[in-house]
Amino acid sequence: MAATFFGEVVKAPCRAGTEDEEEEEEGRRETPEDREVRQQLARKREVRLLRRQTKTSLEVSLLEKYPCSKFIIAIGNNAVAFLSSFVMNSGVWEEVGCAKLWNEWCRTADTTHLSSTEAFCGFYHLKSNPSVFGSCPRKNMQITILTCRHVTDYKTLESTGSLPSPFLKALKTQNFKDPACCPLLEQPNIVHDLPAAVLSYCQVWKIPAILYLCYTDVMKLDLITVEAFKPILSTRSLKGLVKNIPQSTEILKKLMTTNEIQSNIYT
Amino acid sequence: PAVSVGNVGQLAMDLIISTLNMSKIGYFYTDCLVPMVGNNPYATAEGNSTELSINAEVYSLPSRKLVALQLRSIFIKYKSKPFCEKLLSWVKSSGCARVIVLSSSHSYQRNDLQLRSTPFRYLLTPSIQRSVQNKIKSLNWQEMEKSRCIPEIDDSEFCIRIPGGGITKTLYDESCSKEIQMAVLLKFVSEGDNIPDALGLVEYLNEWLQIIKPLSDDPTASTSRWKIPSSWRLLFGSGLPPALF
């Protein structure tokens, strides 16, 4: 509880997240039927890997069917745009599958049809170089994760308004021995959500992995933000992958214009 | 620590790990906590600043037979009870002699007597009482009082309540029933700048465990004995834009 300047007593949020303990007390008051319904819903949660074209499930794990030594993950629209225009534009990439998930917070009940506005995860493999998304799983595998964060999330002594955004920072696991193409993320900055989950897994299971984090002040699809990822093309893991940068820039510009039309607030 | 109001238990753990220069010996890899990563929060120089840390890590100081678990994020909904079970099962199987939980509770929930007394409290499970009761008695510590199970109802039963304590109560109850030797040390706090609360809690723990040299009569010396970790920089955000002024 906290008292405001207006003389009212309000429930103040607790940053340790302990409001949940009250919800769990309510949980103790829930009937066995309620609990059973909640557990049944939880059991229905699924993450399925599907073959893209046929939408049939992949019977074996994706990495068994397409074992790989380099796994690149892009999270967020700018990171995905970078990967599509620069990396996937070089060479022939074949879509091998996609992931569909459902949990009780999804708005659609149907797991087989995904609308264009929902989160999407696709897997692609480089036909000409099967070692990218190709060799012994886990043995020689190296993972690269790309994502963006808003610059106000970055903690520094100066004001974030004066920072030359967008800028890149990196975080790597202990087993990733190559140098990063940008400075490492300084204390006390942290990363959470999916990129953190992937990096945590890699750190614990000693998989070499590196996260490239682009701090930007524009979270929607933006040319300057996407181009901020360019330095990673010179790193050892991605060097061989990108052939034609000017062509990539053209593709990126086309992506931007398509997107701009879609984001017209009057339509 | 328990993830509790003001994150006092976790801040206190940071002070212990940082001051004693404990080494990381492993991870408590779990899906019960929100994922998070960052570079070594206890870095002291360029050389040791780039080791990746995750949300739940185990540190040790063999010379003092001390093992510390640090939790750095909050629980995912409905996952706190499964976490307690996994944690206690690990504690039991790893053969820990005793477990101490550092925690905190909402200061606004204190009754009149509690408002007038020390803000520190302790709780002991029956199995640890035999071995440490005498020591605790000699320290003149205050045991956590029971309060009404349902505060709004006058004739409700009395029980131990730790509002704002996160998993503390669950850990305590489960340890009682599993006969684990556990002690809970907590402080009544409010959210805000909880660094002084964390310093208070480690000093409270230190009265018992003597992790570092006992406090002399000069109270101002206390704050400098604990090493503040480098990750505590900028706790309240980045620098301010000069244009604000």
Side-chain angles (χ1 to χ4, degrees):
Chain A
M1 297 297 198
T4 68
F5 287 114
F6 303 105
E8 23 163 37
V9 174
V10 295
K11 199 167 163 76
C14 178
R15 66 178 185 249
T18 55
E19 289 94 3
D20 280 353
E21 68 186 32
E22 292 165 20
E23 287 175 27
E24 297 204 6
E25 273 186 39
E26 274 175 40
R28 271 176 241 135
R29 281 179 232 142
E30 72 182 342
T31 64
E33 289 82 18
D34 293 335
R35 202 173 307 133
E36 184 56 31
V37 167
R38 188 165 54 76
Q39 281 169 357
Q40 275 196 11
L41 274 174
R43 276 193 284 270
K44 280 175 78 178
R45 282 182 213 155
E46 57 171 8
V47 178
R48 277 199 299 158
L49 295 179
L50 306 172
R51 252 182 274 272
R52 182 74 168 133
Q53 272 69 35
T54 58
K55 300 261 198 302
T56 52
S57 294
L58 281 167
E59 305 87 27
V60 295
S61 98
L62 205 66
L63 285 178
E64 264 180 56
K65 194 169 166 64
Y66 301 97
C68 70
S69 65
K70 284 188 190 141
F71 193 26
I72 309 167
I73 309 172
I75 303 166
N77 50 11
N78 284 304
V80 168
F82 172 77
L83 209 59
S84 322
S85 333
F86 287 83
V87 179
M88 286 170 56
N89 170 52
S90 314
V92 181
W93 290 77
E94 179 197 9
E95 187 171 355
V96 296
C98 61
K100 292 217 177 1
L101 63 89
W102 185 89
N103 61 40
E104 51 270 49
W105 292 284
C106 284
R107 270 165 282 175
T108 53
D110 192 348
T111 51
T112 52
H113 302 285
L114 219 46
S115 80
S116 57
T117 51
E118 286 178 27
F120 171 75
C121 172
F123 296 95
Y124 301 84
H125 121 122
L126 185 60
K127 270 182 134 161
S128 59
N129 185 358
S131 81
V132 181
F133 213 75
S135 115
C136 259
R138 279 203 204 167
K139 261 206 181 133
N140 302 313
M141 185 156 72
Q142 211 183 55
I143 296 185
T144 306
I145 311 156
L146 310 176
T147 192
C148 287
R149 277 284 177 275
H150 200 273
V151 71
T152 49
D153 274 349
Y154 183 69
K155 293 212 170 60
T156 175
L157 271 176
E158 352 160 6
S159 147
T160 50
S162 59
L163 291 171
S165 69
F167 56 91
L168 265 189
K169 291 284 176 188
L171 267 180
K172 49 184 183 155
T173 61
Q174 205 160 8
N175 287 63
F176 190 95
K177 302 296 182 198
D178 297 340
C181 63
C182 60
L184 294 182
L185 189 63
E186 312 84 356
Q187 294 82 345
N189 291 289
I190 58 169
V191 176
H192 39 86
D193 295 338
L194 182 56
V198 176
L199 218 57
S200 300
Y201 180 89
C202 295
Q203 174 73 357
V204 171
W205 301 110
K206 298 185 163 48
I207 301 171
I210 186 162
L211 162 67
Y212 284 107
L213 188 52
C214 179
Y215 282 99
T216 174
D217 47 11
V218 182
M219 289 313 282
K220 63 181 175 77
L221 200 55
D222 167 63
L223 189 67
I224 301 174
T225 304
V226 174
E227 291 197 326
F229 281 110
K230 269 184 168 163
I232 73 170
L233 298 175
S234 58
T235 58
R236 229 176 72 162
S237 20
L238 298 192
K239 212 177 219 164
L241 288 183
V242 180
K243 310 283 178 345
N244 193 338
I245 294 189
Q247 194 186 23
S248 304
T249 320
E250 278 313 305
I251 295 181
L252 184 59
K253 288 203 175 112
K254 277 206 197 110
L255 250 174
M256 298 288 158
T257 25
T258 342
N259 213 263
E260 264 167 32
I261 294 167
Q262 283 174 2
S263 67
N264 185 331
I265 59 169
Y266 297 108
T267 58
Chain B
V3 181
S4 57
V5 55
N7 305 99
V8 178
Q10 296 159 284
L11 291 170
M13 288 307 306
D14 264 354
L15 285 170
I16 295 168
I17 296 168
S18 165
T19 308
L20 297 178
N21 207 13
M22 293 176 82
S23 340
K24 180 154 67 174
I25 55 168
Y27 306 100
F28 197 90
Y29 189 63
T30 172
D31 62 350
C32 301
L33 292 163
V34 169
M36 133 277 130
V37 288
N39 274 326
N40 182 9
Y42 311 112
T44 48
E46 270 301 321
N48 62 15
S49 67
T50 57
E51 195 188 319
L52 200 67
S53 270
I54 68 168
N55 57 9
E57 298 186 317
V58 183
Y59 296 80
S60 88
L61 187 67
S63 57
R64 302 293 306 271
K65 295 198 183 154
L66 207 58
V67 169
L69 168 68
Q70 177 61 306
L71 304 177
R72 300 196 173 97
S73 60
I74 54 176
F75 289 103
I76 290 177
K77 203 173 164 97
Y78 301 124
K79 291 283 203 171
S80 56
K81 193 131 198 278
F83 178 82
C84 292
E85 284 158 22
K86 287 179 201 170
L87 176 62
L88 292 177
S89 129
W90 171 67
V91 157
K92 257 205 147 158
S93 64
S94 60
C96 282
R98 290 177 204 156
V99 184
I100 301 174
V101 177
L102 299 180
S103 179
S104 53
S105 183
H106 284 307
S107 58
Y108 72 80
Q109 292 257 9
R110 289 175 292 173
N111 60 29
D112 293 346
L113 267 171
Q114 289 171 327
L115 278 168
R116 287 193 281 257
S117 59
T118 165
F120 299 101
R121 292 291 184 277
Y122 76 92
L123 265 177
L124 302 174
T125 57
S127 40
I128 201 180
Q129 266 172 23
R130 282 182 288 274
S131 42
V132 306
Q133 187 76 330
N134 291 332
K135 174 72 182 170
I136 301 290
K137 261 209 169 79
S138 71
L139 293 168
N140 260 329
W141 278 4
Q142 178 84 23
E143 192 174 7
M144 185 68 172
E145 304 91 335
K146 290 193 174 160
S147 55
R148 291 191 201 282
C149 291
I150 304 165
E152 297 83 18
I153 297 176
D154 278 340
D155 59 355
S156 117
E157 279 177 21
F158 279 70
C159 60
I160 299 283
R161 280 178 63 242
I162 310 177
I167 56 170
T168 311
K169 176 87 180 4
T170 313
L171 282 176
Y172 176 72
D173 289 340
E174 290 291 306
S175 299
C176 287
S177 61
K178 291 184 164 73
E179 293 180 353
I180 294 177
Q181 291 200 34
M182 172 181 283
V184 174
L185 266 55
L186 63 85
K187 183 175 193 242
F188 291 115
V189 303
S190 303
E191 290 266 335
D193 178 356
N194 299 106
I195 294 176
D197 298 313
L199 286 162
L201 192 60
V202 283
E203 285 293 353
Y204 187 56
L205 174 69
N206 201 48
E207 284 175 38
W208 173 16
L209 291 190
Q210 311 259 288
I211 305 173
I212 63 174
K213 257 176 50 193
L215 191 62
S216 61
D217 284 319
D218 177 14
T220 57
S222 69
T223 46
S224 54
R225 295 162 350 110
W226 301 95
K227 190 158 91 177
I228 307 280
S230 52
S231 54
W232 283 21
R233 286 176 63 237
L234 305 170
L235 263 179
F236 299 100
S238 294
L240 298 169
L244 201 63
F245 307 105

